[in-house]
Amino acid sequence: MSYARHFSAIAAALVMVPLAQAEDPQATPVPTAGRVSYVSGTMYVQTPDNKTRILGRDSSIYNGDVITTEKSTVARIEFGDGSSLALRPRSKVKIDGFAFDEARPEKDTLLYSLLKGGLRAVTGLIGKRNREGYRASTVTATIGIRGTRFGMLLCDEAEKEDPACIKALEEAKDRKPGEPALVFDVEEGSIEVKNDAGSKTFEVGQAGVVSSKDSAPATLSENPGLDKALPSSTAARPGPGGLGGSTGLGSDADASCTVQ
């Protein structure tokens, strides 16, 4: 068999796999990582195989998906442990991995990367049962967390006119061209911010900035208003754990988060 014919046969087989799964009720379904519980505006996802699909309310989210919100879009994504992410306009988030098994907390993971824009996060059961399993990454810092509510925004060229960025960048030191500053705040719990340049703990009501991955985290003189940037419609909903709503576990006073 020639190389061309061999390649065509493989490609045809790959195309037929999802069709066969759809026709076979006993085929193992692809597990969902979460779902869209609220969206206002246009939001789409790029899948690991470079396919694009528009997302609406109740759309499923899968591991490896890169989610993008347009310039006027706000949305909320909920995960099976009760965690949620409220996305700001012009944001891009990759779901690196989600796994939740009530019987095996040591296997819990919720890993995601903020590639652009900003979000507010509420942790669920994973943040309580397996702190090491929760991680939010950016080009400036990696956030490890346990049971809290926090917000973050990457202040790059696209977001530099955002009111929160304007305030934060006035105090940001040692910024590097082409590298966004990371601004964050704490609504509940406390966070410890770490990178190669140092570490600092931030309490409820405080906000801070990491000017670059080589700059130590610093406290901002006033909260830049990240908590007011999203409408109340994107807030985590009260309710039981799982995709039906937030568990409310983010309200623990002793919760903490680590940014590395």
Side-chain angles (χ1 to χ4, degrees), residues 100-139:
F100 178 68
D101 184 342
E102 291 186 8
R104 305 179 69 185
E106 72 280 1
K107 300 294 185 179
D108 289 351
T109 55
L110 175 50
L111 313 174
Y112 58 92
S113 299
L114 178 62
L115 306 176
K116 179 181 178 182
L119 57 80
R120 294 201 71 77
V122 178
T123 62
L125 286 171
I126 289 176
K128 301 293 287 186
R129 305 191 328 160
N130 184 12
R131 178 183 180 184
E132 299 302 319
Y134 188 109
R135 187 177 70 244
S137 301
T138 73
V139 297

Side-chain angles (χ1 to χ4, degrees), residues 140-141 172-173 180-184 193 195 208-218 259:
T140 308
K173 307 298 182 183
L182 174 64
V183 182
F184 50 88
V193 183
N195 62 14
V209 60
V210 179
S211 302
S212 74
K213 60 186 177 183
D214 298 318
S215 300
V259 183

Side-chain angles (χ1 to χ4, degrees), residues 167-233:
K167 290 183 179 180
L169 295 179
E170 289 176 352
E171 302 181 40
K173 307 298 182 183
D174 303 323
R175 289 197 63 208
K176 293 184 176 181
E179 184 177 334
L182 174 64
V183 182
F184 50 88
D185 71 342
V186 186
E187 185 177 353
E188 294 182 356
S190 64
I191 65 175
E192 183 183 9
V193 183
K194 293 183 178 180
N195 62 14
D196 291 341
S199 66
K200 190 174 183 63
T201 298
F202 295 81
E203 304 294 342
V204 175
Q206 292 186 316
V209 60
V210 179
S211 302
S212 74
K213 60 186 177 183
D214 298 318
S215 300
T219 303
L220 293 173
S221 58
E222 61 177 307
N223 194 307
L226 288 175
D227 57 336
K228 299 179 178 61
L230 285 163
S232 59
S233 54

Side-chain angles (χ1 to χ4, degrees), residues 27-43:
T28 302
V30 177
T32 60
R35 72 177 180 91
V36 178
S37 57
Y38 176 85
V39 60
S40 175
T42 301
M43 180 169 65

